[in-house]
Amino acid sequence: MSEEKFEQAKGNIKETIGNATNNENLKKEGKGDKASGKTKEIVDDVKDKANDFIDKVKEDKN
């Protein structure tokens, strides 16, 4: 499991426990963890695509 997916799963667990226990702080923390994990996942994907594009441009020059 990637770090990003783990953070999202951790957020889900916190949010679920927060809902079950009526703990607003834990629910908010869980939502934040999920959002952070998703953002990191998107950034990594964009970075990978940019690197692939750069590699392709370098190949085309040769």
Side-chain angles (χ1 to χ4, degrees):
M1 178 182 284
S2 70
E3 180 182 332
E4 295 84 7
K5 292 287 185 190
F6 177 76
E7 192 164 346
Q8 290 176 45
K10 181 177 72 169
N12 263 339
I13 292 167
K14 285 182 180 179
E15 188 175 6
T16 299
I17 292 171
N19 281 328
T21 61
N22 246 357
N23 184 328
E24 289 298 319
N25 288 333
L26 195 56
K27 284 187 340 188
K28 287 178 186 175
E29 191 176 322
K31 287 180 182 183
D33 287 348
K34 286 188 334 187
S36 175
K38 186 65 176 170
T39 300
K40 288 177 185 176
E41 186 176 40
I42 291 168
V43 168
D44 284 348
D45 187 43
V46 168
K47 194 164 52 170
D48 288 343
K49 287 181 181 178
N51 285 331
D52 289 347
F53 177 75
I54 290 168
D55 290 342
K56 179 151 177 51
V57 169
K58 285 180 181 177
E59 287 175 10
D60 289 345
K61 281 189 171 184
N62 293 329

